[in-house]
Amino acid sequence: MDWFKDLDSEKIPEHIAIIMDGNGRWAKAHGKPRVFGHKNGVKSVREITEGSAEAGVRYLTLYAFSTENWSRPKLEVNALMSLLVQTMDNEITTLMKNNIRLRTIGDISQLPEKNYQSLKKGMEETAHNDRMDLILALNYSGQADIINATKKIAAEVKEGKLNIADINCGTFSQNLSTAGIPPPELLIRTSGELRLSNFLLWELAYTELYFSPVFWPDFRKQHLYDAIKSFQQRERRFGKTGEQISN
Ligand code: FPP
């Protein structure tokens, strides 16, 4: 039986973003080192990528490594980086088979060379896939992205290519690393934490937020179903009144 069959197929979020949280606490609860949690987190990445594509999601953005994560113990950072290379190398065939395109946001040029190369390879090989875009946020910071966009816009103004009066939301969106990607309709954060942690700060302006108590390594299609179901029961008003929306 299809796990998503009771969802309204007309109201599947086009873009879901996920803050995958709770790997460390999950590992601790199992009496294991933190890295064990990350390894099991990869299983959830696989399952939720597959589930999102099955349900008809067009963009899935996963917060895999923030600019702040560099300050974790060196051992953990190294383990996360090797896990990423391993996962990339193992999963390219699956991405190809499922017609999924790999993309990244964040400054991947600052990742270890091995990571940079395996991501580049994954992105090149999957560039023409068009069922779903899997966007990994790596060495990503929402604030840094906004600052970068501001710098690019300021340079255009300085060069006389843009009038200050013409700067609007569109100008900003086009200069972010997510340019051309519709903003997430649904944000999921696992593990019970109620924060955005510097993720997609501009893009989340009107996103529906869903917080799950489940630690990421335990997050399965059933939990994704619950999140999408909750999204489908909401009224999105974008600043308007409920009456305006129902008319
Ligand atoms: C948050 O849990 C998780 C991360 C910082 C990393 C997420 C990485 C993976 C799931 C594995 C690799 C990813 C890909 C895309 C292949 P935490 O460590 O902050 O958990 P805690 O809050 O319980 O300590």
Side-chain angles (χ1 to χ4, degrees):
M1 192 176 64
D2 289 335
W3 63 276
F4 51 90
K5 80 166 189 19
D6 290 333
L7 292 171
D8 178 351
S9 59
E10 300 289 309
K11 279 173 79 178
I12 297 293
E14 183 183 22
H15 184 176
I16 298 183
I18 306 184
I19 303 179
M20 310 179 286
D21 198 7
N23 293 351
R25 279 163 287 161
W26 183 90
K28 196 172 177 194
H30 287 78
K32 303 274 190 191
R34 295 178 57 82
V35 174
F36 182 72
H38 297 313
K39 282 190 182 150
N40 280 274
V42 174
K43 292 182 193 159
S44 306
V45 170
R46 289 189 100 239
E47 167 142 346
I48 298 309
T49 302
E50 182 183 272
S52 301
E54 285 168 351
V57 172
R58 183 60 188 79
Y59 300 90
L60 175 67
T61 303
L62 302 179
Y63 202 6
F65 196 85
S66 74
T67 50
E68 289 79 22
N69 287 151
W70 293 113
S71 48
R72 292 193 172 199
K74 201 167 176 329
L75 204 72
E76 184 175 346
V77 172
N78 291 345
L80 269 171
M81 291 299 151
S82 338
L83 202 56
L84 199 70
V85 176
Q86 266 173 35
T87 310
M88 275 304 101
D89 297 348
N90 292 341
E91 302 297 341
I92 293 185
T93 331
T94 321
L95 294 177
M96 289 308 292
K97 224 173 14 201
N98 289 284
N99 194 13
I100 296 171
R101 176 181 174 192
L102 176 73
R103 301 172 70 169
T104 60
I105 52 172
D107 187 1
I108 61 165
S109 72
Q110 298 305 309
L111 299 180
E113 184 62 19
K114 249 186 167 173
N115 284 81
Y116 178 76
Q117 291 304 339
S118 81
L119 286 165
K120 202 167 144 246
K121 182 163 172 270
M123 287 195 278
E124 282 168 2
E125 286 191 25
T126 62
H128 300 293
N129 293 346
D130 60 5
R131 181 181 178 203
M132 184 178 84
D133 288 15
L134 171 63
I135 306 160
L136 299 184
L138 286 160
N139 193 21
Y140 175 85
S141 149
Q143 289 177 336
D145 210 19
I146 291 172
I147 292 171
N148 266 336
T150 310
K151 286 181 182 168
K152 288 197 252 172
I153 295 168
E156 281 193 53
V157 170
K158 197 175 168 194
E159 289 163 21
K161 291 182 186 157
L162 181 68
N163 291 322
I164 291 182
D166 293 333
I167 298 173
N168 54 30
C169 289
T171 326
F172 241 95
S173 302
Q174 287 154 22
N175 283 286
L176 291 168
S177 61
T178 50
I181 301 169
E185 289 180 287
L186 172 64
L187 170 87
I188 301 170
R189 183 173 188 145
T190 60
S191 91
E193 301 292 351
L194 311 177
R195 285 188 292 276
L196 294 183
S197 301
N198 207 359
F199 189 42
L200 300 173
L201 297 180
W202 173 274
E203 296 85 344
L204 294 177
Y206 283 100
T207 303
E208 295 297 327
L209 309 181
Y210 181 86
F211 297 99
S212 164
V214 175
F215 290 146
W216 178 249
D218 283 334
F219 201 80
R220 290 291 169 268
K221 285 178 189 171
Q222 179 58 46
H223 304 111
L224 179 65
Y225 173 94
D226 294 342
I228 298 178
K229 194 80 187 164
S230 162
F231 170 83
Q232 294 190 334
Q233 285 159 353
R234 301 188 193 183
E235 179 183 65
R236 304 192 73 203
R237 292 202 288 271
F238 300 97
K240 295 183 179 166
T241 67
E243 287 72 28
Q244 285 175 303
I245 297 294
S246 48
N247 290 336

